[in-house]
Amino acid sequence: MALSHSLFYKLRFLVSSKCSYIGQITVHIEPKRFASNKFTTKTAEHFSTQLKTAENTDVSVRDRAIMFVPESQPVDQNVVEKLQDFVSASKKLFVLTGAGLSTESGIPDYRSEGVGMYARSKSRPIQYSDFINFADRRKRYWARNFVGWPKFRSTRPNASHRTLAEWEKAGKVHWLVTQNVDALHSKAYSERVTELHGLSAHIVCLSCGGQTTRDELQERMIEMNPGFSIESEAIAPDGDVILSDEVVKGFNVPSCKDCRGVLKPKLVFFGDNVPRVTVEFVHSRLREADAFLVAGSSLEVYSGYRFALAAKEQKKPIAIVNIGPTRADKLATLKINARLGSILPYIQIT
């Protein structure tokens, strides 16, 4: 017996709402299978059993992920079809991703209503000028980052990261620019990627320009702080945690091995600027593209918003998938208020 139309979509949304949070089980139910009458009630029951089993055995994984995902309504079939049409019409798609993409991997963002860092805490990210000019603020930054790093580096790509990597392999994505510093696109094996704000995993000396890895720096921090054994499951968007001033006071900060200069993550901190060469490179890739997709960004920060403005000026169609309003809503050809994991994996690439 063929699966009814309503039951098919009910199950698809059930899968959509569960699978992005469950480590090893990813189920893709394709509409074309329903069209060919091969998707039966028995098959539906099989997938439902898989989901229940995964849910019972790995609840903690799912719960940690959904902690930072804002509430959103289920995606309607018509909305999926609209995004499908947008993606299908593009031959050279330019994608800009933001923190909303990684919330489903358990990394919080700053601005999401109710669950973002600004809604949950009075803590604010360090400013570039403070990091450069004040040793005590650098110490606080590195102490917090030291505690948060093991958790941050262990995060894994979710269904949306993997989907975008698959689109690239299929020749759909011309270039992807991410505002995130978590390296999850690289972990998902995307290659045509620009990390607009840098990566937390890379460290640079502000005096001699020498570079090292964050993992190597973590080992040095462990050696220099043998009694600093604080653990935390909670992380902030850039990988640090909140610590009291009293705890931070006893932390020892490593300097450059070669010149004893100040070490800094190779990131664009708040109040800093994206290198001009990076901006020019991204503009070049955008000019070569024929459509612009924003995935999981409010575009409140100008470093990303500028590319939406450029796309509009170049008369490229713009689609935005994000929970909540964005700075570029008025520029968009298509705006979808949805969780990325509930829609991107269901877009077919032909």
Side-chain angles (χ1 to χ4, degrees):
M1 180 178 68
L3 187 68
S4 72
H5 188 277
S6 60
L7 179 57
F8 168 77
Y9 280 104
K10 182 177 180 181
L11 179 64
R12 191 176 77 169
F13 293 135
L14 170 67
V15 172
S16 167
S17 66
K18 306 287 187 186
C19 278
S20 295
Y21 309 132
I22 300 171
Q24 299 301 316
I25 293 182
T26 303
V27 182
H28 285 234
I29 303 171
E30 301 176 5
K32 60 185 178 184
R33 294 185 64 184
F34 165 69
S36 62
N37 291 326
K38 293 181 180 179
F39 197 89
T40 64
T41 302
K42 185 176 181 180
T43 309
E45 291 171 351
H46 169 70
F47 282 127
S48 181
T49 300
Q50 277 191 306
L51 287 171
K52 287 177 181 177
T53 301
E55 208 176 0
N56 290 335
T57 57
D58 205 3
V59 171
S60 62
V61 172
R62 185 200 65 210
D63 288 348
R64 282 198 300 269
I66 64 174
M67 281 177 61
F68 306 117
V69 180
E71 292 184 3
S72 62
Q73 296 299 313
V75 180
D76 184 82
Q77 176 195 351
N78 293 330
V79 174
V80 177
E81 291 174 354
K82 287 179 181 179
L83 185 61
Q84 179 70 69
D85 291 343
F86 178 89
V87 173
S88 296
S90 173
K91 302 300 181 186
K92 301 179 75 173
L93 183 64
F94 182 101
V95 182
L96 175 67
T97 70
L101 190 76
S102 292
T103 55
E104 292 179 55
S105 289
I107 300 176
D109 63 11
Y110 286 110
R111 297 179 177 84
S112 285
E113 184 178 353
V115 294
M117 190 177 108
Y118 292 163
R120 295 180 293 109
S121 168
K122 293 182 179 179
S123 178
R124 294 296 180 263
I126 192 168
Q127 295 289 315
Y128 174 74
S129 60
D130 288 346
F131 186 94
I132 297 299
N133 296 319
F134 301 102
D136 60 331
R137 297 184 189 179
R138 284 198 300 273
K139 174 183 281 197
R140 182 174 62 186
Y141 173 86
W142 280 123
R144 292 164 53 156
N145 194 266
F146 171 73
V147 176
W149 178 247
K151 174 68 177 173
F152 189 74
R153 78 178 300 281
S154 71
T155 56
R156 293 291 176 260
N158 60 54
S160 296
H161 292 103
R162 294 190 294 271
T163 294
L164 292 172
E166 290 167 4
W167 290 9
E168 179 192 301
K169 290 182 179 67
K172 176 62 66 174
V173 173
H174 176 62
W175 206 261
L176 186 151
V177 175
T178 184
Q179 298 172 102
N180 301 336
V181 300
D182 50 34
L184 292 184
H185 284 296
S186 296
K187 289 181 180 180
Y189 301 109
S190 286
E191 296 179 356
R192 300 175 68 83
V193 177
T194 295
E195 283 96 2
L196 191 65
H197 297 154
L199 288 174
S200 293
H202 298 165
I203 305 297
V204 63
C205 173
L206 296 179
S207 296
C208 71
Q211 298 190 35
T212 186
T213 67
R214 182 64 186 80
D215 284 340
E216 182 180 343
L217 185 62
Q218 186 77 358
E219 292 302 316
R220 291 183 61 199
M221 288 178 172
I222 291 172
E223 292 173 1
M224 294 177 62
N225 297 276
F228 205 90
S229 58
I230 298 169
E231 295 183 2
S232 175
E233 282 294 310
I235 55 172
D238 289 336
D240 57 358
V241 300
I242 298 174
L243 299 177
S244 69
D245 291 342
E246 188 64 30
V247 169
V248 168
K249 190 183 301 182
F251 188 77
N252 296 309
V253 180
S255 57
C256 176
K257 279 184 174 181
D258 297 326
C259 73
R260 300 184 64 80
V262 171
L263 295 176
K264 174 185 172 295
K266 206 171 180 182
L267 301 175
V268 177
F269 281 153
F270 282 83
D272 195 6
N273 296 310
V274 178
R276 178 173 295 181
V277 64
T278 302
V279 175
E280 291 174 353
F281 177 85
V282 172
H283 274 302
S284 294
R285 301 293 78 76
L286 176 58
R287 284 192 292 270
E288 296 163 353
D290 60 14
F292 185 94
L293 172 65
V294 178
S297 176
S298 66
L299 297 175
E300 284 299 318
V301 178
Y302 181 74
S303 60
Y305 178 60
R306 74 178 105 199
F307 300 115
L309 292 173
K312 185 67 174 180
E313 185 176 331
Q314 295 166 27
K315 296 181 170 36
K316 301 184 194 297
I318 299 172
I320 301 174
V321 184
N322 188 67
I323 299 176
T326 82
R327 191 176 179 182
D329 283 355
K330 63 184 181 298
L331 308 177
T333 310
L334 173 65
K335 169 64 193 302
I336 298 173
N337 191 74
R339 182 173 59 79
L340 290 162
S342 71
I343 188 167
L344 289 192
Y346 302 101
I347 303 303
Q348 305 297 306
I349 302 300
T350 56

